[in-house]
Amino acid sequence: MVSMKCASGGGRLGRRAAVRPPLLGGGRVTPSSSSSSSSRRGVRPIRCQGANKQVESISQKIASVEAENAKLKAKLERVKSTRKAEEKKTMATKKAAGGGGTDDEIDEIERLRRENEELRRLAEERIRVLTARQQAEEAEEEADQEEVDAVLEDERPAEEPAPEPVEAAAEEPEEEVEEVVPEPELEPEPEPEPVVAASTDLDTVDEASLCEGKAHCLYFTYPETPQAGEDCLVFLNRASSGVLRDRPQVKLLLSFNGWEVPGDAYALRPTEARKDEFSDWWCCRSAVDARAYEMNFVFNDEEGNFENNGGQDFCQAVSGETTRASWLASAKEREAELEEVRRREEEEEEAARHARRLEEAEEADRNQALALVHDTRTSLVELRSGCFASCERDGKVVVATRPSPCHAGSKCVLVYTASGGVLQGSSQIRLHCGHNGWRDPQVVEMKKQPTFDEGGDVWCCEVEVPDAAVALNAVFSNEHGTYDNNSEKNFNVIVEIPGGEGEAHWDALASKLQAEIKAKRLAEEAAEAERRERRERRKREAREYSLEVARRKLSHVLFSEPSEIVAGETVTVYYNTKNTALAGRQDSTFMQFSFNRWSHPDEFAPVKMEPSDRHGGEGEEGWVMCEIGVPKDAYMVDFVFTDSEHGGGTFDNNGGLDYNLSVTKGPKSPPLYITHIAVEMAPIAKVGGLGDVVTALSRAVQEHGHHAEIILPRYDFLLSSPLLQGITFEAEMDWGGCKNFVTTCVVEGVRVFFIEPSNGMFKVGQVYSQPHDDEVKFEFFCKAALEFLLQTGRQPDIIHCHDWSSASAARAYWQDYHHYGLWKPKVVFTIHNLEFGAAAIGDAAMNAQKFTTVSPSYAFEVGGHPAVEPHSAKFSGIINGIDTDIWDPLYDQFLPTPYSAENAEEGKRDAKKALRERLGLRQDRDCPVVGVVSRLTTQKGIHLIKHAAYRTLDRGGQFVLLGSAPDPKIQADFDELAGQLGGDMGAFCYAYDEPLSHLIYAGCDVILVPSMFEPCGLTQMIAMRYGSVPVVRQTGGLRDTVFDVDHDKARAAWEIHGSDDHTKAGMDGTNGFSFEGTDEGSLDYALNRAIDCWYNDIAFFRQLQSRNMTQDWSWNKPALDYIELYYSAIKG
């Protein structure tokens, strides 16, 4: 087992010992009066005695520190036990009682205990160094003594005995030594915190000495505890890293305080330390942020290989003013500061963009005005050709102006004489006029004025002559649509330019035109802004209601008081054991909890919950409660419930998703990063519903504050798409035996990356071709997408694959990429239609952390399929939504009258009239119109569609079909049906017609969807968005979205409003008619009820139409469900 870190305190002391202090007393020795050279060796020098004194002093301090540690530990245990006993009291009660200790007190005690432990460690290390120094000095002293003895022996006369002067000579240094025996300067001062060496020390540090004896370490820092605001050295033992062992370059990626404070990247260099099989030390110097309480870092080789402590990253404590507690306490303030900085930056950027837009718009207005003036001047002769001050016919004045001629920029009265013309005797006449070749046409009602010509047929009206006009163009019509256009030559009246046609006039005209153009532009921009604001407000209200429904549903099982949880305060949690796996166990229910999607660094012991009647009052059993404290850095509270305190037993974990309550007043949740790997995307590469889901889900997830990207093949047919004009180069990579070019642009508000291999695999004119070819090219694409993520250093939280076409990405990720640098993502897979590619789908289901399909009912229907059943524990259904920006009757360009739920009756009446006109249906019949918009395949229930056409006509209604059949035989059958039933009561359109589909959804009263199976289905949701009433077969997504008005009141109230009481006001969520069987009689049961309702209770039918329009079938709720699924996949 490789140690992840090695202390460097010894390295620091070793550096100091390298500068040897001078010998005390000049290095003289004090022999005894009658000692020989052998006996002198046993005499210790005074400096070693000084070291012994240091050792004794430090040993005493160690004993003192240990005693202090014991006291601190005892106090800490008392505080913790008191705090646990007081846990259920409020914070105010705790403070009043004076017991329990606050978080700050616990942190302070814990800090003091750690400081004492550090002092003890330093003291022991000092003893070791001093002991080693003493042993070295003793050995050196022995050598010095031998040298002194040899000198004395040489100087002593051979015939004389041991001379007395030697003893006298030895006395002199004794006095000198005695003067310095106390050695106060050697007494080490206590060091409460490790002192960081100055930058010059880091420059001159002996790196080889620091690395000695640390072959078992993976990394260490110098100093051991870096100081905030100072530099430190980070050492990596490359030989201990299985990932970076042989890599030619290594980088340190550094951040601080749980990766919240950004740092820099530093290139490591080899040190001069000894290199062998177990030691290969690399080092870099890095700056420690002044706000840091810890360093967070990983190492990599800049080629996608990471040494990251097995996915946990490395963490190194930092000494400084900031502690973890103080950092967490300031989370709100820091987030507010960051939010304010972001807000100011966004405002400044928006202001700059607005200024540029204004400048560009002003320039465009000016250019447009100058262009109009130029066109008028250059075509002046042509425009006035055939113009007169008045127009005559058969010698009579037919058209004249007062004054004559009229003047540009002023009003005039235009007079028309109908006598002798095609409009003579008309009761109503309209003027159709324009200027300069019919620019800015308008229609003006004229008034009959007999005063101009007694007994004549004279009409007049006032006309505003534009500033730019040099000629007026006019024709006249009556109430019958008959026109007088001067025998197709029109009536052209000359306009006089005031002041002449000099440059001054044209310059003034350009200025006036520019002002008019600007005013028109501003009015249009204001109208567009109002439209956007209204749409965003509706979407925001829908999102808020979706969240409210989710809270209502959860509150039947779990809720809190206060409902708005505040970080740093306590909250009471209520849980209902009824209708859960813990039913009947309210006396033995424990809550296991954490925070921030189970990622909080602190551990929290399970809490025993107590019975409570707070939610339901008397008579309602099953509710339990407990109180917990919410950390200051919490943005989410996470729960599971169990009947065992220490694990095991029975769990309620919300179907694997866990229970979560948002901390309303606290830090913001960090955003998720989702990458979709798909072969379809609407609208640029859409074949079916898969493309709609990829685009709409990405947009919806982004609207909830997360980041989504899409990786798509770069098909050749995309080159002609007008939506890809802003495409830019992103990357180039060698992979799969060829070059792969990656380009990017934003489509529908989502960042999209297009992979284009140079082998020409996607030089195709359509998404799908032959099955075998598709399998090969899509597998290549999936791996190329993963390679792109790896080589560009992207680390999404989730890789989301879709259907069989990108199913291979799931296995390829775990097999070829997860262990080679692309380490972070988890895999989510969605089945859009199990009818195709079951083997590939089963393989993806096995390799995904979570997999879904497009509705809960379809998930139930396919749960026993061999591709699904072995992995059913991680399988669920999430209903799709529709794009409410595309399908919006209030802003639909294909409808005659925009409408919403407030004016649905008027809007649908006008749409029905337009639909009947378009298809040649009778307008004089007051009857329901039944519509079908569908592919004509067996899956869609074609035998029931045919039957519905006959049944609708039998009931006096009108029937409309838009669709086509890929099978020629089926198409021939429907051609025959059109021949039998087509006419003024039935219309059959076999073509793709987008405008007509919008008109059918709006103009029909009933939309029929009788599918044999339907994974999700969008038709019924679009129909309800446009106020039509769906008649559907109960299967898949049809069952999950259409609730029968007679049989599904309770289910509708729960799904639409989150209420368990459908009798309450406003809780009726029923929206259509449904049937279960596959035969014609089953269809008749639902269709007849819908038609009867239209005939017999039109008021209720209109109410049902308006109700349908208020229901939210957007991606709001599905996006929330997918986000919870993503978090569940990350948790694993």
Side-chain angles (χ1 to χ4, degrees), residues 735-758:
W735 183 83
C738 65
K739 291 278 189 184
N740 292 265
F741 305 98
V742 183
T743 51
T744 183
C745 72
V746 175
V747 180
E748 296 293 313
V750 182
R751 173 65 60 183
V752 184
F753 297 100
F754 302 93
I755 293 184
E756 178 187 3
S758 60

Side-chain angles (χ1 to χ4, degrees), residues 905 908-909 912 916 923-930 952 955-958 985 1002-1007 1027-1029 1031 1045 1073 1086-1105:
E905 184 174 351
K908 290 190 69 66
R909 181 182 65 244
K912 179 185 283 189
R916 285 171 164 170
Q923 295 277 8
D924 58 348
R925 297 297 298 271
D926 187 18
C927 65
V929 179
V930 177
T952 300
R955 296 295 310 273
Q958 293 176 324
M985 295 298 287
C1004 287
D1005 300 290
V1006 173
I1007 295 292
S1028 294
V1029 177
V1031 173
V1045 296
F1073 300 86
L1087 184 58
N1088 281 333
R1089 284 187 294 137
I1091 295 175
D1092 288 342
C1093 183
W1094 195 95
Y1095 280 126
N1096 302 329
D1097 195 352
I1098 191 64
F1100 173 76
F1101 196 89
R1102 299 297 185 213
Q1103 178 186 350
L1104 185 61
Q1105 290 178 309

Side-chain angles (χ1 to χ4, degrees), residues 24-26 28 30 46 53 171-185:
L24 297 179
R28 296 173 180 170
T30 311
I46 294 302
K53 290 180 180 180
E171 293 175 1
E172 183 179 348
E174 282 185 16
E175 295 178 3
E176 185 177 347
V177 172
E178 287 298 327
E179 294 176 1
V180 294
V181 164
E183 298 182 324
E185 67 276 13

Side-chain angles (χ1 to χ4, degrees), residues 901-965:
E902 288 73 22
N903 65 326
E905 184 174 351
E906 174 192 357
K908 290 190 69 66
R909 181 182 65 244
D910 293 345
K912 179 185 283 189
K913 179 180 179 182
L915 178 65
R916 285 171 164 170
E917 290 177 352
R918 169 79 185 271
L919 300 178
L921 300 178
R922 294 181 60 172
Q923 295 277 8
D924 58 348
R925 297 297 298 271
D926 187 18
C927 65
V929 179
V930 177
V932 175
V933 180
S934 174
R935 288 182 296 111
L936 301 177
T937 63
T938 303
Q939 174 201 343
K940 299 299 182 180
I942 51 177
H943 66 295
L944 298 180
I945 294 175
K946 294 177 183 177
H947 178 76
Y950 286 103
R951 176 60 62 204
T952 300
L953 297 185
D954 286 346
R955 296 295 310 273
Q958 293 176 324
F959 185 84
V960 176
L961 170 64
L962 174 63
S964 60

Side-chain angles (χ1 to χ4, degrees), residues 77 244 317 399 460 463 465 510 516 922 1018 1056:
E77 291 301 320
L244 304 178
V399 175
C460 71
V463 177
V465 183
E516 292 175 1
R922 294 181 60 172
L1018 301 180
I1056 301 298

